[in-house]
Amino acid sequence: MLHLIQDLFEKRVNQFVSDKRSHKVFFPKAEKKQSALAKRSAEIVKVKTTGRIIETVKEDEFQTVRYQAHYQYLIKQKELLYMEEEVEERLAKFYKEALVMDEEINSFEQKEASQPPDLDNHDQEERLSFQYDRLKAVQYAERWWNSYNPAYKKFENDCTNFISQCLHVGGAPMRGYPNKGAGWWLQNNNWSYSWAVANSLRIYLANSKSGLQANEVSSPDQLLLGDVICYDFEGDGRFNHNTIVTGKDAYGMPLVNAHTYNSRMRYWAYEDSSAYTPKIKYKFYHLLG
């Protein structure tokens, strides 16, 4: 089965760097990626793709394979060269070793059933100050973008937990334990909504008056390394993804790291993501401290 996945990658890899696409090997992901890069006057000059099989299910002549694809793109923009990476899970189905279906598994955070946190009712009782170490936060985001620190709990939808870890390593103090609806904390195998739920962290950053605090800015170019971007893919007011700024492109626009779809140095707008919709909304938070 591994040889079928490897063959699939070999047929696709050139689609990211070539304008000559045949119908047999056309890969929509590559088309979307190239289109998004062209808008930024950027291009992929080299790409490497590797795969890892997670699960295989065989039924009669059919084989269904859940696998992980790791893409490494060498991107050129003006005089800047940088490496972007992303990991996605995909589901492929073969009939007698012929590919009949292959699609991305969309695992971004779903809308949580939990009630929104009751934020900041205790701010007057806690006056926490700290110095936010942006370098440490970014170094942590680079170290763990495609793996999981055993010192922290791992979540199935891990994007917000990952961002919280980065901010905590950068010096942001926890507060509010044991009230899940207040503050921002992870302790004793329990956690606040704001630590692990995308929409709740966005609400916390917008409202916190002590400890971890942020100012919302109007455009992404105002962000610094270590700042946070929140994503509402459907534009319905419930934010379902968060990233941390880890670099800047040739025009000074943010490049970000994230979990769930593990990625590093990805362009902030996510226009090449399968979760992207024309209704997408963003929030840009500059961390204080």
Side-chain angles (χ1 to χ4, degrees):
M1 182 51 59
L2 183 59
H3 75 281
L4 296 177
I5 298 298
Q6 289 173 333
D7 183 58
L8 189 60
F9 285 165
E10 289 174 5
K11 290 178 179 178
R12 286 176 173 170
V13 67
N14 289 332
Q15 297 302 297
F16 288 98
V17 294
S18 173
D19 290 328
K20 298 177 181 179
R21 303 182 181 87
S22 70
H23 177 70
K24 289 184 179 180
V25 295
F26 174 69
F27 188 30
K29 180 182 179 70
E31 181 79 19
K32 184 179 290 188
K33 192 79 176 178
Q34 285 196 334
S35 177
L37 285 165
K39 292 179 182 179
R40 305 164 48 214
S41 301
E43 63 176 338
I44 299 172
V45 295
K46 187 176 182 180
V47 61
K48 180 181 178 182
T49 309
T50 56
R52 179 176 70 86
I53 292 176
I54 300 172
E55 182 183 29
T56 301
V57 178
K58 188 171 183 178
E59 185 177 352
D60 298 327
E61 299 292 337
F62 287 93
Q63 283 185 299
T64 302
V65 183
R66 183 167 164 255
Y67 69 98
Q68 192 177 78
H70 182 179
Y71 303 90
Q72 294 176 294
Y73 313 100
L74 182 61
I75 295 176
K76 182 178 181 181
Q77 186 187 42
K78 297 175 71 173
E79 301 303 316
L80 177 67
L81 278 173
Y82 69 92
M83 181 72 74
E84 175 186 337
E85 298 184 69
E86 63 174 321
V87 176
E88 66 176 5
E89 286 192 12
R90 302 187 66 89
L91 194 68
K93 182 171 285 190
F94 297 87
Y95 176 69
K96 294 183 178 179
E97 297 200 350
L99 181 69
V100 295
M101 183 272 287
D102 180 45
E103 60 187 21
E104 188 175 9
I105 301 171
N106 192 336
S107 60
F108 278 109
E109 285 185 290
Q110 301 299 309
K111 298 175 185 177
E112 69 280 7
S114 311
Q115 62 182 10
D118 178 19
L119 290 167
D120 297 313
N121 287 341
H122 303 91
D123 272 348
Q124 65 273 19
E125 303 297 331
E126 301 182 74
R127 308 310 306 176
L128 302 175
S129 62
F130 74 103
Q131 184 68 39
Y132 183 44
D133 192 326
R134 296 177 179 276
L135 178 59
K136 282 187 177 179
V138 169
Q139 288 175 333
Y140 185 89
E142 287 285 271
R143 167 63 181 86
W144 295 103
W145 77 269
N146 194 30
S147 57
Y148 300 88
N149 187 346
Y152 291 91
K153 178 179 174 62
K154 176 185 174 183
F155 290 79
E156 181 178 357
N157 293 315
D158 200 63
C159 78
T160 304
N161 175 50
F162 174 64
I163 299 305
S164 287
Q165 290 175 33
C166 296
L167 302 182
H168 183 237
V169 170
M174 298 183 191
R175 66 177 182 85
Y177 175 82
N179 187 343
K180 289 180 69 69
W184 173 79
W185 54 270
L186 174 75
Q187 189 172 331
N188 296 335
N189 202 33
N190 201 358
W191 54 90
S192 63
Y193 296 120
S194 57
W195 181 277
V197 178
N199 193 57
S200 297
L201 177 61
R202 192 272 306 173
I203 294 172
Y204 182 80
L205 291 176
N207 291 277
S208 177
K209 298 298 188 296
S210 72
L212 175 58
Q213 300 176 68
N215 283 338
E216 183 178 351
V217 297
S218 59
S219 60
D221 59 306
Q222 296 175 272
L223 297 175
L224 303 179
L225 301 190
D227 285 338
V228 173
I229 302 177
C230 306
Y231 301 74
D232 172 9
F233 289 115
E234 299 83 11
D236 61 2
R238 300 285 290 187
F239 284 71
N240 38 25
H241 189 52
N242 296 305
T243 66
I244 183 169
V245 178
T246 54
K248 292 291 186 80
D249 74 358
Y251 296 100
M253 301 301 284
L255 304 173
V256 299
N257 287 24
H259 268 194
T260 299
Y261 282 135
N262 296 353
S263 56
R264 68 173 297 269
M265 301 293 279
R266 184 173 189 165
Y267 190 63
W268 71 271
Y270 268 62
E271 291 180 341
D272 59 344
S273 168
S274 62
Y276 178 89
T277 76
K279 296 181 179 180
I280 193 169
K281 294 178 182 178
Y282 309 93
K283 291 285 187 180
F284 309 110
Y285 289 105
H286 170 64
L287 277 295
L288 305 181

